Amino acid sequence: GAGVSQSPSNKVTEKGKDVELRCDPISGHTALYWYRQRLGQGLEFLIYFQGNSAPDKSGLPSDRFSAERTGESVSTLTIQRTQQEDSAVYLCASSLVNLEQYFGPGTRLTVT
Amino acid sequence: KQEVTQIPAALSVPEGENLVLNCSFTDSAIYNLQWFRQDPGKGLTSLLLIQSSQREQTSGRLNASLDKSSGRSTLYIAASQPGDSATYLCAGGTSYGKLTFGQGTILTVHP
């Protein structure tokens, strides 16, 4: 079946612009997670959704970052007024709770 | 706060060798531990998931163990092949699935 998909695969934006990253989880997966991987660094947790609520958003780095999810479907991660330090690969994963997480291919964001 | 460390950072072995990758974590209240591989420019592929009540999991040539009391997990790869070359990541999970990742081990298997 279809895996986790993310769009766009690559995004280049100018500093100060807003960007939206999209994640389509595996159908039926109630849990959805966003992570970030900056160059040469490990993956960092950003936010967790259970259905359309976000019980843990402790990893969002600043109030420029927000995310929402429609039901148990698509999620969008929005970064406002992008900064160069936001450049990273943004990865989305979905799962049935407490089971294996399946990751999408990621969105590579470059802020110039 | 959970911290995960992986040793070694990089490993290069000849084809056919058996090898062990190490992962340690600071919070023994871990709910599960997951091993992934990451290929350049691609997302993560789940290899094995060990629940906290389990001691090990096996899939083909891969075997992962979990020792909560010592805060360690190992990934054993038997009869390594060049196609096994990738970055291997371990991650400790909470009860709702939040993963804390190690920095990874870059594995190169040369023919």
Side-chain angles (χ1 to χ4, degrees):
Chain A
V4 179
S5 61
Q6 293 186 245
S7 61
S9 55
N10 280 284
K11 176 71 176 180
V12 180
T13 190
E14 292 180 353
K15 178 182 172 181
K17 300 286 190 183
D18 297 352
V19 295
E20 261 192 13
L21 312 180
R22 177 187 171 106
C23 171
D24 283 278
I26 292 171
S27 178
H29 279 192
T30 55
L32 185 147
Y33 311 83
W34 284 96
Y35 295 87
R36 172 172 80 171
Q37 187 172 31
R38 288 190 276 192
L39 189 63
Q41 299 188 23
L43 277 86
E44 308 169 79
F45 166 82
L46 297 178
I47 188 168
Y48 155 63
F49 284 95
Q50 178 58 35
N52 63 2
S53 65
D56 186 350
K57 53 180 82 170
S58 62
L60 295 178
S62 75
D63 59 8
R64 296 186 295 104
F65 286 71
S66 63
E68 61 180 27
R69 186 179 183 195
T70 306
E72 292 184 353
S73 184
V74 64
S75 175
T76 55
L77 177 69
T78 302
I79 308 173
Q80 296 178 311
R81 304 181 303 281
T82 51
Q83 303 294 313
Q84 287 187 329
E85 63 263 28
D86 299 335
S87 295
V89 176
Y90 289 82
L91 291 160
C92 172
S94 72
S95 75
L96 296 171
V97 179
N98 298 334
L99 297 182
E100 279 181 283
Q101 291 188 26
Y102 295 87
F103 280 75
T107 293
R108 181 176 298 278
L109 175 66
T110 304
V111 182
T112 61
Chain B
K1 178 185 172 185
Q2 179 75 272
E3 292 183 2
V4 178
T5 304
Q6 291 186 246
I7 295 173
L11 182 63
S12 180
V13 300
E15 182 177 4
E17 193 161 297
N18 301 326
L19 58 99
V20 174
L21 306 181
N22 296 291
C23 172
S24 61
F25 47 91
T26 55
D27 186 357
S28 62
I30 197 168
Y31 195 83
N32 57 39
L33 189 132
Q34 198 163 355
W35 282 93
F36 297 88
R37 68 174 280 167
Q38 185 173 33
D39 294 280
K42 297 185 179 180
L44 277 65
T45 302
S46 176
L47 298 174
L48 290 164
L49 171 71
I50 312 176
Q51 300 291 355
S52 60
S53 58
Q54 298 173 319
R55 296 281 295 183
E56 64 179 323
Q57 282 284 335
T58 298
S59 176
R61 294 183 293 107
L62 305 179
N63 175 277
S65 67
L66 176 64
D67 184 344
K68 286 182 60 178
S69 61
S70 67
R72 294 181 182 178
S73 176
T74 60
L75 179 67
Y76 175 83
I77 302 177
S80 57
Q81 303 171 358
D84 294 332
S85 298
T87 297
Y88 289 80
L89 298 167
C90 73
T94 67
S95 60
Y96 57 89
K98 171 183 175 180
L99 295 177
T100 301
F101 285 84
Q103 295 285 341
T105 294
I106 301 171
L107 173 65
T108 303
V109 182
H110 48 88

